[in-house]
Amino acid sequence: MTPAMAAASQAGTILDSLGLPGGYRIDVTSGPGGEPASPPGPDTPYHSTLDLGPPNGGTWGPDEPPPGPGVYVTVTLGADWTRVQLPPDLELPDALVLLADRLQDWAIELTHGAALPPCPGHAHPMRAAVVDGAAVWDCPAQPGSALLPIA
């Protein structure tokens, strides 16, 4: 199992830690073959891509991943959905942080700005980070003060 697939298998745990209501659907698909994404630069813990639209004016839906290498995690909750591309060359902690970060953004948007997951003693949400080689939720104001495993 690749690190991207292993991270994708943890999507439900990540969503539960964000406090989203049940009833979501998680689909994991692999993009077509091809060259893996280039490794991130030395100052970049991970990288991702943003697709602004499908090629040739087509449409993408939650059941159809855009083409490209990697693993796609699509989460659907009612009429809302999001998709996260996990490049094939990420190590597991980085893939977990990328997935948690993107799902956190989506969950905060769905809840109109709720601090998810809540940071103990603060009004802001925790942030996904790699600390000592592990993917964790951490306090952005006081790094290392409240570490919780992501998955």
Side-chain angles (χ1 to χ4, degrees):
M1 179 180 294
T2 67
M5 285 297 291
S9 72
Q10 299 297 321
T13 302
I14 293 168
L15 291 168
D16 291 343
S17 72
L18 293 170
L20 284 181
Y24 50 78
R25 186 180 95 195
I26 301 170
D27 295 301
V28 177
T29 56
S30 294
E35 293 296 318
S38 59
D43 297 326
T44 307
Y46 57 80
H47 65 280
S48 63
T49 60
L50 171 63
D51 295 307
L52 298 177
N56 304 321
T59 59
W60 285 334
D63 297 323
E64 181 183 355
V71 173
Y72 295 87
V73 179
T74 304
V75 180
T76 307
L77 182 61
D80 296 302
W81 63 278
T82 190
R83 178 181 298 116
V84 180
Q85 178 189 12
L86 301 173
D89 57 352
L90 289 180
E91 295 296 323
L92 181 58
D94 295 320
L96 283 168
V97 166
L98 175 59
L99 181 60
D101 181 65
R102 298 303 188 264
L103 292 178
Q104 179 186 38
D105 287 346
W106 181 64
I108 289 172
E109 192 173 306
L110 283 178
T111 59
H112 307 287
L116 301 173
C119 189
H122 300 119
H124 57 252
M126 297 183 87
R127 68 176 172 92
V130 175
V131 176
D132 295 329
V136 297
W137 293 111
D138 191 14
C139 175
Q142 299 172 326
S145 65
L147 300 177
L148 300 171
I150 286 179

Coordinates of all heavy atoms in Angstrom, one line a residue, residues 4-108:
A4 N 0.1 7.3 0.0 CA -1.1 8.0 -0.4 C -2.3 7.2 -0.1 O -3.3 7.7 0.4 CB -1.0 8.5 -1.8
M5 N -2.3 5.9 -0.5 CA -3.4 5.0 -0.2 C -3.6 4.8 1.3 O -4.8 4.8 1.8 CB -3.2 3.7 -0.9 CG -3.5 3.7 -2.4 SD -5.1 4.1 -2.9 CE -6.0 2.7 -2.3
A6 N -2.5 4.7 2.0 CA -2.6 4.6 3.5 C -3.3 5.8 4.1 O -4.1 5.7 5.0 CB -1.3 4.3 4.1
A7 N -2.9 7.0 3.6 CA -3.5 8.2 4.1 C -4.9 8.3 3.8 O -5.8 8.7 4.6 CB -2.7 9.4 3.6
A8 N -5.3 7.9 2.6 CA -6.7 8.0 2.1 C -7.5 7.1 3.0 O -8.7 7.4 3.3 CB -6.8 7.6 0.7
S9 N -7.0 6.0 3.4 CA -7.8 5.0 4.3 C -8.1 5.7 5.6 O -9.0 5.2 6.3 CB -7.0 3.7 4.4 OG -5.9 3.9 5.3
Q10 N -7.4 6.7 6.0 CA -7.6 7.4 7.3 C -8.6 8.6 7.2 O -8.9 9.3 8.2 CB -6.3 7.9 7.8 CG -5.3 6.8 8.1 CD -5.8 5.8 9.2 OE1 -6.4 6.2 10.2 NE2 -5.6 4.6 9.0
A11 N -9.2 8.8 6.0 CA -10.1 9.9 5.8 C -11.3 10.0 6.8 O -11.6 11.0 7.3 CB -10.6 10.0 4.4
G12 N -11.9 8.8 7.1 CA -13.0 8.8 8.1 C -12.5 9.2 9.4 O -13.3 9.9 10.1
T13 N -11.3 8.8 9.9 CA -10.8 9.2 11.2 C -10.6 10.7 11.2 O -10.9 11.3 12.2 CB -9.5 8.4 11.5 OG1 -9.8 7.0 11.4 CG2 -8.9 8.8 12.8
I14 N -10.1 11.2 10.1 CA -9.8 12.7 10.1 C -11.2 13.4 10.2 O -11.3 14.4 10.9 CB -9.1 13.0 8.8 CG1 -7.6 12.5 8.9 CG2 -9.0 14.6 8.6 CD1 -6.9 12.6 7.6
L15 N -12.2 13.0 9.4 CA -13.5 13.6 9.4 C -14.1 13.5 10.8 O -14.7 14.5 11.3 CB -14.4 13.0 8.4 CG -14.0 13.3 6.9 CD1 -14.8 12.4 6.0 CD2 -14.2 14.8 6.6
D16 N -14.0 12.4 11.5 CA -14.5 12.3 12.8 C -13.8 13.2 13.8 O -14.5 13.8 14.6 CB -14.3 10.8 13.3 CG -15.2 9.8 12.6 OD1 -16.2 10.3 11.9 OD2 -15.0 8.6 12.7
S17 N -12.5 13.4 13.6 CA -11.8 14.3 14.5 C -12.2 15.8 14.3 O -12.1 16.6 15.1 CB -10.3 14.2 14.4 OG -9.8 14.7 13.1
L18 N -12.7 16.1 13.1 CA -13.2 17.4 12.8 C -14.6 17.6 13.3 O -15.1 18.7 13.3 CB -13.2 17.6 11.2 CG -11.8 17.7 10.6 CD1 -11.9 17.7 9.1 CD2 -11.0 18.9 11.2
G19 N -15.3 16.6 13.7 CA -16.6 16.7 14.3 C -17.7 16.9 13.2 O -18.8 17.3 13.6
L20 N -17.5 16.4 12.0 CA -18.6 16.5 11.0 C -19.6 15.5 11.3 O -19.3 14.4 11.8 CB -18.0 16.3 9.6 CG -17.3 17.4 8.9 CD1 -16.8 17.0 7.6 CD2 -18.1 18.7 8.9
P21 N -20.9 15.8 11.0 CA -21.9 14.8 11.3 C -21.7 13.6 10.4 O -21.1 13.7 9.3 CB -23.2 15.6 10.9 CG -22.8 16.6 9.9 CD -21.4 17.0 10.4
G22 N -22.3 12.5 10.8 CA -22.2 11.2 10.0 C -22.9 11.4 8.7 O -23.5 12.5 8.4
G23 N -23.0 10.4 7.9 CA -23.7 10.4 6.7 C -22.9 10.9 5.5 O -23.4 11.0 4.4
Y24 N -21.6 11.0 5.7 CA -20.7 11.4 4.5 C -20.3 10.1 3.8 O -20.3 9.0 4.4 CB -19.5 12.2 5.0 CG -18.7 11.6 6.1 CD1 -17.8 10.6 5.9 CD2 -18.8 12.1 7.4 CE1 -17.1 10.0 7.0 CE2 -18.1 11.6 8.4 CZ -17.3 10.5 8.2 OH -16.6 10.0 9.2
R25 N -19.9 10.3 2.6 CA -19.5 9.2 1.7 C -18.0 9.5 1.4 O -17.7 10.6 0.9 CB -20.3 9.0 0.5 CG -20.0 7.8 -0.3 CD -20.8 7.7 -1.5 NE -20.1 8.3 -2.7 CZ -20.6 8.6 -3.8 NH1 -21.9 8.5 -4.0 NH2 -19.9 9.1 -4.8
I26 N -17.2 8.5 1.5 CA -15.8 8.6 1.1 C -15.5 7.7 0.0 O -15.7 6.5 0.1 CB -14.8 8.3 2.3 CG1 -15.1 9.2 3.5 CG2 -13.4 8.4 1.9 CD1 -14.4 8.8 4.7
D27 N -14.9 8.2 -1.1 CA -14.5 7.4 -2.3 C -13.0 7.7 -2.5 O -12.6 8.8 -2.5 CB -15.3 7.8 -3.5 CG -16.8 7.5 -3.4 OD1 -17.1 6.3 -3.2 OD2 -17.6 8.4 -3.5
V28 N -12.3 6.6 -2.7 CA -10.9 6.7 -3.0 C -10.6 6.1 -4.4 O -11.0 4.9 -4.6 CB -10.0 5.9 -1.9 CG1 -8.6 6.0 -2.2 CG2 -10.3 6.5 -0.5
T29 N -10.0 6.9 -5.2 CA -9.7 6.4 -6.6 C -8.2 6.7 -6.9 O -7.6 7.6 -6.3 CB -10.6 7.0 -7.6 OG1 -10.5 8.4 -7.5 CG2 -12.0 6.6 -7.4
S30 N -7.7 6.0 -7.8 CA -6.3 6.3 -8.3 C -6.4 7.0 -9.6 O -7.2 6.6 -10.5 CB -5.5 5.0 -8.4 OG -5.3 4.4 -7.2
G31 N -5.5 8.0 -9.8 CA -5.5 8.6 -11.1 C -4.8 7.7 -12.1 O -4.1 6.7 -11.7
P32 N -4.8 8.0 -13.4 CA -4.2 7.1 -14.4 C -2.7 7.2 -14.2 O -2.1 8.1 -13.5 CB -4.6 7.8 -15.7 CG -5.0 9.2 -15.4 CD -5.5 9.1 -14.0
G33 N -2.0 6.2 -14.8 CA -0.5 6.1 -14.7 C 0.1 7.4 -15.3 O -0.6 8.2 -15.9
G34 N 1.3 7.5 -15.1 CA 2.1 8.6 -15.6 C 3.2 8.9 -14.7 O 3.5 8.2 -13.8
E35 N 3.9 9.9 -15.0 CA 5.1 10.3 -14.2 C 4.6 10.8 -12.9 O 3.6 11.6 -12.8 CB 5.9 11.4 -14.9 CG 6.6 10.9 -16.2 CD 7.6 9.9 -15.9 OE1 8.3 10.0 -14.9 OE2 7.6 8.9 -16.7
P36 N 5.2 10.3 -11.8 CA 4.8 10.9 -10.5 C 5.2 12.4 -10.4 O 6.0 12.9 -11.1 CB 5.6 10.1 -9.5 CG 6.7 9.4 -10.3 CD 6.2 9.4 -11.7
A37 N 4.5 13.1 -9.6 CA 4.7 14.5 -9.4 C 6.2 14.7 -8.9 O 6.7 13.9 -8.3 CB 3.8 15.1 -8.4
S38 N 6.7 15.8 -9.3 CA 8.1 16.1 -8.9 C 8.2 16.3 -7.4 O 7.2 16.8 -6.8 CB 8.6 17.3 -9.7 OG 7.8 18.4 -9.4
P39 N 9.3 15.9 -6.8 CA 9.3 16.1 -5.3 C 9.3 17.5 -4.9 O 9.7 18.4 -5.7 CB 10.7 15.4 -5.0 CG 11.3 15.0 -6.2 CD 10.4 15.3 -7.4
P40 N 8.8 17.8 -3.7 CA 8.7 19.2 -3.3 C 10.1 19.7 -3.1 O 11.1 19.0 -2.9 CB 7.9 19.1 -2.0 CG 8.1 17.7 -1.5 CD 8.2 16.9 -2.8
G41 N 10.3 21.1 -3.1 CA 11.6 21.7 -2.8 C 11.9 21.5 -1.4 O 11.1 21.1 -0.5
P42 N 13.2 21.9 -1.0 CA 13.7 21.6 0.3 C 12.9 22.5 1.4 O 12.9 22.1 2.6 CB 15.1 22.1 0.3 CG 15.2 22.9 -0.9 CD 14.2 22.5 -1.9
D43 N 12.3 23.6 1.0 CA 11.6 24.4 2.0 C 10.1 24.1 2.0 O 9.3 24.8 2.7 CB 11.8 25.9 1.7 CG 13.2 26.3 1.9 OD1 13.9 25.7 2.7 OD2 13.7 27.1 1.1
T44 N 9.6 23.1 1.3 CA 8.2 22.8 1.2 C 7.9 21.4 1.7 O 8.5 20.4 1.3 CB 7.8 22.8 -0.3 OG1 8.2 24.0 -0.9 CG2 6.3 22.6 -0.5
P45 N 7.1 21.3 2.8 CA 6.9 20.0 3.4 C 6.0 19.1 2.5 O 6.1 17.9 2.6 CB 6.1 20.3 4.7 CG 5.5 21.7 4.5 CD 6.4 22.4 3.5
Y46 N 5.2 19.6 1.6 CA 4.4 18.8 0.7 C 4.0 19.8 -0.4 O 4.1 21.0 -0.3 CB 3.3 18.1 1.3 CG 2.3 19.1 2.0 CD1 1.4 19.8 1.4 CD2 2.4 19.2 3.4 CE1 0.5 20.7 2.0 CE2 1.5 20.1 4.1 CZ 0.6 20.8 3.4 OH -0.2 21.7 4.0
H47 N 3.4 19.2 -1.4 CA 2.8 20.1 -2.5 C 1.5 19.5 -2.9 O 1.2 18.3 -2.6 CB 3.8 20.2 -3.6 CG 4.1 18.9 -4.3 ND1 4.9 18.0 -3.9 CD2 3.6 18.4 -5.5 CE1 5.0 16.9 -4.7 NE2 4.1 17.1 -5.6
S48 N 0.7 20.3 -3.6 CA -0.5 19.8 -4.1 C -0.8 20.6 -5.4 O -0.1 21.5 -5.7 CB -1.7 20.0 -3.1 OG -1.8 21.3 -2.8
T49 N -1.9 20.3 -6.0 CA -2.3 21.0 -7.2 C -3.7 21.5 -7.0 O -4.5 21.0 -6.2 CB -2.3 20.1 -8.4 OG1 -3.2 19.0 -8.2 CG2 -0.9 19.6 -8.7
L50 N -4.0 22.6 -7.7 CA -5.3 23.2 -7.7 C -5.8 23.2 -9.2 O -5.2 23.8 -10.0 CB -5.3 24.6 -7.2 CG -6.6 25.4 -7.4 CD1 -7.8 24.7 -6.6 CD2 -6.4 26.8 -6.9
D51 N -6.9 22.4 -9.5 CA -7.5 22.4 -10.8 C -8.6 23.3 -10.8 O -9.6 23.1 -10.1 CB -7.9 21.0 -11.1 CG -6.7 20.0 -11.2 OD1 -5.8 20.3 -12.0 OD2 -6.7 19.0 -10.5
L52 N -8.6 24.3 -11.7 CA -9.6 25.3 -11.8 C -10.8 24.9 -12.6 O -11.8 25.5 -12.6 CB -9.1 26.7 -12.3 CG -8.0 27.3 -11.3 CD1 -7.5 28.5 -12.0 CD2 -8.6 27.5 -10.0
G53 N -10.6 23.9 -13.4 CA -11.7 23.4 -14.2 C -11.2 22.2 -15.1 O -10.0 22.1 -15.3
P54 N -12.1 21.4 -15.5 CA -11.8 20.3 -16.4 C -11.3 20.8 -17.8 O -11.7 21.9 -18.2 CB -13.1 19.5 -16.5 CG -14.1 20.5 -16.3 CD -13.6 21.5 -15.3
P55 N -10.5 20.0 -18.4 CA -10.0 20.4 -19.8 C -11.2 20.4 -20.8 O -12.2 19.7 -20.6 CB -9.0 19.3 -20.1 CG -9.4 18.2 -19.3 CD -10.0 18.7 -18.0
N56 N -11.1 21.2 -21.8 CA -12.0 21.3 -22.9 C -13.4 21.7 -22.5 O -14.4 21.3 -23.1 CB -12.0 20.0 -23.7 CG -10.6 19.6 -24.2 OD1 -9.9 20.5 -24.6 ND2 -10.3 18.4 -24.1
G57 N -13.6 22.4 -21.4 CA -14.9 22.9 -21.0 C -15.8 21.8 -20.5 O -17.0 22.1 -20.3
G58 N -15.3 20.7 -20.1 CA -16.2 19.6 -19.6 C -16.6 19.9 -18.2 O -16.4 21.0 -17.6
T59 N -17.1 18.9 -17.5 CA -17.5 19.1 -16.1 C -16.9 17.9 -15.3 O -16.8 16.8 -15.8 CB -19.0 19.1 -15.9 OG1 -19.6 17.9 -16.4 CG2 -19.7 20.2 -16.7
W60 N -16.6 18.2 -14.1 CA -16.2 17.2 -13.1 C -17.3 17.1 -12.0 O -17.8 18.1 -11.6 CB -14.9 17.6 -12.4 CG -13.7 17.5 -13.2 CD1 -13.5 16.6 -14.3 CD2 -12.5 18.2 -13.1 NE1 -12.2 16.8 -14.8 CE2 -11.6 17.8 -14.1 CE3 -12.0 19.2 -12.2 CZ2 -10.3 18.3 -14.2 CZ3 -10.8 19.7 -12.4 CH2 -9.9 19.2 -13.3
G61 N -17.5 16.0 -11.6 CA -18.4 15.8 -10.5 C -17.7 15.0 -9.4 O -16.6 14.6 -9.5
P62 N -18.4 14.8 -8.3 CA -17.8 14.1 -7.2 C -17.4 12.7 -7.5 O -16.6 12.1 -6.8 CB -18.8 14.2 -6.0 CG -20.1 14.4 -6.7 CD -19.8 15.2 -8.0
D63 N -18.0 12.1 -8.5 CA -17.7 10.7 -8.8 C -16.7 10.5 -9.9 O -16.4 9.4 -10.3 CB -19.0 10.0 -9.2 CG -20.0 10.0 -8.1 OD1 -19.6 9.8 -6.9 OD2 -21.2 10.1 -8.4
E64 N -16.1 11.6 -10.4 CA -15.2 11.5 -11.5 C -13.9 12.3 -11.2 O -13.9 13.5 -11.2 CB -15.8 12.0 -12.8 CG -14.9 11.9 -14.0 CD -15.6 12.6 -15.2 OE1 -16.8 12.9 -15.2 OE2 -14.9 12.6 -16.2
P65 N -12.8 11.6 -10.8 CA -11.6 12.4 -10.5 C -11.0 13.0 -11.8 O -11.1 12.4 -12.9 CB -10.7 11.3 -9.9 CG -11.2 10.0 -10.4 CD -12.6 10.2 -10.7
P66 N -10.4 14.1 -11.7 CA -9.6 14.6 -12.8 C -8.5 13.7 -13.2 O -8.0 13.0 -12.3 CB -9.2 16.0 -12.4 CG -9.2 16.0 -10.9 CD -10.2 15.0 -10.5
P67 N -8.0 13.8 -14.4 CA -6.8 12.9 -14.7 C -5.6 13.4 -14.1 O -5.4 14.5 -13.8 CB -6.7 13.0 -16.2 CG -7.3 14.4 -16.5 CD -8.4 14.6 -15.5
G68 N -4.7 12.4 -13.8 CA -3.4 12.7 -13.2 C -3.0 11.7 -12.2 O -3.8 10.9 -11.7
P69 N -1.7 11.5 -12.0 CA -1.2 10.5 -11.1 C -1.6 10.8 -9.7 O -1.8 12.0 -9.3 CB 0.3 10.5 -11.3 CG 0.6 11.9 -11.8 CD -0.6 12.3 -12.6
G70 N -1.6 9.8 -8.9 CA -1.9 10.0 -7.4 C -3.2 9.3 -7.0 O -3.8 8.6 -7.8
V71 N -3.5 9.6 -5.8 CA -4.7 9.0 -5.2 C -5.7 10.2 -4.9 O -5.3 11.2 -4.4 CB -4.4 8.3 -3.9 CG1 -5.7 7.8 -3.2 CG2 -3.5 7.1 -4.2
Y72 N -6.9 10.0 -5.2 CA -8.0 11.1 -5.0 C -8.9 10.6 -3.9 O -9.4 9.5 -4.0 CB -8.7 11.3 -6.3 CG -7.9 11.9 -7.4 CD1 -7.2 11.1 -8.3 CD2 -7.8 13.3 -7.6 CE1 -6.4 11.6 -9.3 CE2 -7.0 13.8 -8.6 CZ -6.3 13.0 -9.4 OH -5.5 13.5 -10.4
V73 N -9.1 11.4 -2.9 CA -10.1 11.2 -1.9 C -11.2 12.2 -2.1 O -11.0 13.4 -2.0 CB -9.4 11.4 -0.5 CG1 -10.5 11.1 0.6 CG2 -8.2 10.5 -0.3
T74 N -12.4 11.6 -2.3 CA -13.6 12.5 -2.5 C -14.5 12.2 -1.4 O -14.9 11.1 -1.1 CB -14.3 12.1 -3.9 OG1 -13.3 12.3 -4.9 CG2 -15.5 13.1 -4.1
V75 N -14.9 13.3 -0.7 CA -15.9 13.2 0.4 C -17.1 13.9 0.0 O -17.1 15.1 -0.4 CB -15.3 13.8 1.7 CG1 -16.3 13.7 2.8 CG2 -14.0 13.1 2.0
T76 N -18.3 13.3 0.1 CA -19.6 13.8 -0.2 C -20.4 13.8 1.1 O -20.5 12.8 1.8 CB -20.3 13.0 -1.3 OG1 -19.4 12.8 -2.4 CG2 -21.6 13.6 -1.8
L77 N -21.0 15.0 1.3 CA -22.0 15.1 2.5 C -23.2 15.9 1.9 O -23.1 17.1 1.7 CB -21.3 15.9 3.6 CG -22.1 16.1 4.9 CD1 -22.5 14.8 5.5 CD2 -21.3 16.9 5.9
G78 N -24.3 15.2 1.7 CA -25.4 15.8 1.1 C -25.1 16.3 -0.3 O -24.5 15.5 -1.1
A79 N -25.3 17.5 -0.6 CA -25.0 18.1 -1.9 C -23.6 18.7 -2.0 O -23.2 19.1 -3.1 CB -26.0 19.2 -2.3
D80 N -22.9 18.7 -0.9 CA -21.5 19.3 -0.8 C -20.5 18.2 -1.0 O -20.7 17.1 -0.5 CB -21.3 20.0 0.5 CG -22.2 21.2 0.7 OD1 -22.2 22.1 -0.2 OD2 -23.0 21.2 1.7
W81 N -19.4 18.5 -1.7 CA -18.3 17.5 -1.8 C -17.0 18.3 -2.0 O -17.0 19.4 -2.3 CB -18.6 16.6 -3.0 CG -18.7 17.3 -4.3 CD1 -19.7 17.9 -4.9 CD2 -17.6 17.4 -5.3 NE1 -19.4 18.5 -6.1 CE2 -18.1 18.1 -6.4 CE3 -16.3 17.0 -5.3 CZ2 -17.3 18.4 -7.5 CZ3 -15.5 17.3 -6.4 CH2 -16.0 18.0 -7.5
T82 N -16.0 17.5 -1.7 CA -14.6 18.0 -1.9 C -13.7 16.9 -2.4 O -14.1 15.7 -2.1 CB -14.0 18.7 -0.6 OG1 -12.8 19.4 -1.0 CG2 -13.8 17.7 0.4
R83 N -12.7 17.2 -3.1 CA -11.8 16.2 -3.5 C -10.3 16.6 -3.2 O -10.0 17.8 -3.4 CB -11.9 16.0 -5.0 CG -10.9 15.0 -5.6 CD -11.0 14.8 -7.1 NE -12.3 14.3 -7.5 CZ -13.1 15.0 -8.3 NH1 -12.8 16.1 -8.7 NH2 -14.3 14.5 -8.6
V84 N -9.5 15.7 -2.7 CA -8.2 16.0 -2.4 C -7.3 15.0 -3.2 O -7.5 13.8 -3.2 CB -7.9 15.8 -0.9 CG1 -6.4 16.1 -0.5 CG2 -8.8 16.6 0.0
Q85 N -6.3 15.6 -3.9 CA -5.3 14.8 -4.6 C -4.1 14.6 -3.8 O -3.5 15.6 -3.3 CB -4.9 15.4 -5.9 CG -3.9 14.6 -6.7 CD -3.3 15.3 -7.9 OE1 -3.5 16.5 -8.1 NE2 -2.6 14.5 -8.7
L86 N -3.8 13.3 -3.5 CA -2.5 13.0 -2.8 C -1.5 12.5 -3.8 O -1.7 11.4 -4.4 CB -2.8 11.9 -1.8 CG -3.9 12.3 -0.7 CD1 -4.2 11.1 0.2 CD2 -3.4 13.5 0.1
P87 N -0.5 13.3 -4.1 CA 0.5 12.9 -5.1 C 1.2 11.6 -4.6 O 1.3 11.3 -3.4 CB 1.5 14.0 -5.0 CG 0.7 15.2 -4.6 CD -0.2 14.7 -3.6
P88 N 1.6 10.8 -5.6 CA 2.2 9.5 -5.2 C 3.5 9.5 -4.5 O 3.9 8.5 -4.0 CB 2.3 8.8 -6.6 CG 2.4 9.9 -7.6 CD 1.6 11.0 -7.0
D89 N 4.2 10.6 -4.5 CA 5.5 10.6 -3.9 C 5.6 11.2 -2.5 O 6.7 11.4 -2.0 CB 6.5 11.5 -4.9 CG 6.0 12.9 -5.1 OD1 4.8 13.2 -4.7 OD2 6.7 13.7 -5.7
L90 N 4.5 11.4 -1.9 CA 4.5 11.9 -0.5 C 4.7 10.8 0.5 O 4.2 9.6 0.3 CB 3.1 12.5 -0.1 CG 2.8 13.8 -0.8 CD1 1.4 14.3 -0.3 CD2 3.8 14.9 -0.5
E91 N 5.5 11.1 1.6 CA 5.6 10.1 2.7 C 4.3 10.2 3.5 O 3.6 11.1 3.4 CB 6.8 10.5 3.6 CG 8.2 10.5 2.9 CD 8.5 9.0 2.5 OE1 8.2 8.1 3.2 OE2 9.1 8.9 1.4
L92 N 4.1 9.1 4.2 CA 2.8 9.0 4.9 C 2.5 10.2 5.8 O 1.3 10.7 5.7 CB 2.7 7.7 5.7 CG 1.4 7.4 6.5 CD1 0.2 7.5 5.6 CD2 1.5 6.1 7.3
P93 N 3.4 10.7 6.7 CA 3.0 11.8 7.5 C 2.6 13.0 6.7 O 1.6 13.7 7.0 CB 4.2 12.1 8.4 CG 5.0 10.8 8.4 CD 4.7 10.2 7.1
D94 N 3.3 13.3 5.6 CA 3.0 14.5 4.8 C 1.7 14.3 4.1 O 0.9 15.2 3.9 CB 4.1 14.7 3.7 CG 5.4 15.1 4.4 OD1 5.4 15.9 5.4 OD2 6.5 14.6 3.9
A95 N 1.4 13.0 3.6 CA 0.1 12.8 3.0 C -1.1 12.9 4.0 O -2.1 13.5 3.6 CB 0.1 11.3 2.4
L96 N -0.9 12.5 5.2 CA -1.9 12.7 6.2 C -2.2 14.1 6.5 O -3.3 14.6 6.6 CB -1.5 12.0 7.5 CG -1.7 10.4 7.5 CD1 -1.0 9.8 8.8 CD2 -3.2 10.1 7.5
V97 N -1.1 14.9 6.6 CA -1.2 16.4 6.9 C -1.9 17.1 5.7 O -2.8 17.9 5.9 CB 0.2 17.0 7.2 CG1 0.1 18.5 7.1 CG2 0.6 16.5 8.5
L98 N -1.5 16.7 4.5 CA -2.2 17.3 3.3 C -3.7 17.0 3.3 O -4.5 17.9 3.1 CB -1.5 16.8 2.0 CG -2.2 17.3 0.7 CD1 -2.2 18.8 0.6 CD2 -1.5 16.7 -0.5
L99 N -4.0 15.7 3.5 CA -5.4 15.3 3.6 C -6.2 16.0 4.7 O -7.3 16.6 4.5 CB -5.5 13.8 3.7 CG -6.9 13.2 3.7 CD1 -7.7 13.5 2.4 CD2 -6.9 11.7 3.9
A100 N -5.6 16.0 5.9 CA -6.3 16.7 7.0 C -6.4 18.2 6.8 O -7.5 18.7 7.1 CB -5.4 16.4 8.3
D101 N -5.4 18.8 6.2 CA -5.5 20.3 6.0 C -6.6 20.6 5.0 O -7.4 21.5 5.2 CB -4.2 20.7 5.5 CG -4.1 22.2 5.2 OD1 -4.3 23.0 6.2 OD2 -4.0 22.6 4.0
R102 N -6.7 19.8 3.9 CA -7.8 20.1 2.9 C -9.1 19.8 3.5 O -10.1 20.5 3.2 CB -7.5 19.3 1.6 CG -6.2 19.7 0.9 CD -6.1 21.2 0.6 NE -4.9 21.4 -0.2 CZ -3.8 21.8 0.3 NH1 -3.6 22.0 1.6 NH2 -2.7 22.1 -0.5
L103 N -9.3 18.7 4.2 CA -10.6 18.3 4.8 C -11.0 19.3 5.8 O -12.2 19.7 6.0 CB -10.6 16.9 5.3 CG -10.5 15.8 4.2 CD1 -10.4 14.4 4.9 CD2 -11.6 15.9 3.2
Q104 N -10.0 19.8 6.6 CA -10.3 20.8 7.6 C -10.8 22.1 6.9 O -11.8 22.7 7.4 CB -9.0 21.2 8.4 CG -9.2 22.2 9.5 CD -7.9 22.6 10.1 OE1 -6.9 22.7 9.5 NE2 -8.0 22.8 11.4
D105 N -10.2 22.6 5.9 CA -10.7 23.8 5.1 C -12.1 23.6 4.7 O -13.0 24.5 4.9 CB -9.8 24.1 3.9 CG -8.5 24.6 4.3 OD1 -8.2 25.0 5.4 OD2 -7.6 24.6 3.4
W106 N -12.4 22.4 4.2 CA -13.8 22.1 3.7 C -14.8 22.1 4.9 O -15.9 22.7 4.8 CB -13.8 20.8 2.9 CG -15.1 20.4 2.4 CD1 -15.8 21.0 1.4 CD2 -15.8 19.2 2.7 NE1 -16.9 20.3 1.1 CE2 -17.0 19.2 1.9 CE3 -15.7 18.2 3.6 CZ2 -18.0 18.2 2.0 CZ3 -16.6 17.2 3.7 CH2 -17.7 17.2 2.9
A107 N -14.4 21.4 6.0 CA -15.3 21.4 7.1 C -15.6 22.7 7.7 O -16.7 23.0 8.1 CB -14.7 20.4 8.2
I108 N -14.5 23.6 7.8 CA -14.7 24.9 8.3 C -15.7 25.7 7.4 O -16.5 26.5 7.9 CB -13.4 25.6 8.5 CG1 -12.6 25.0 9.7 CG2 -13.5 27.1 8.8 CD1 -11.2 25.4 9.9

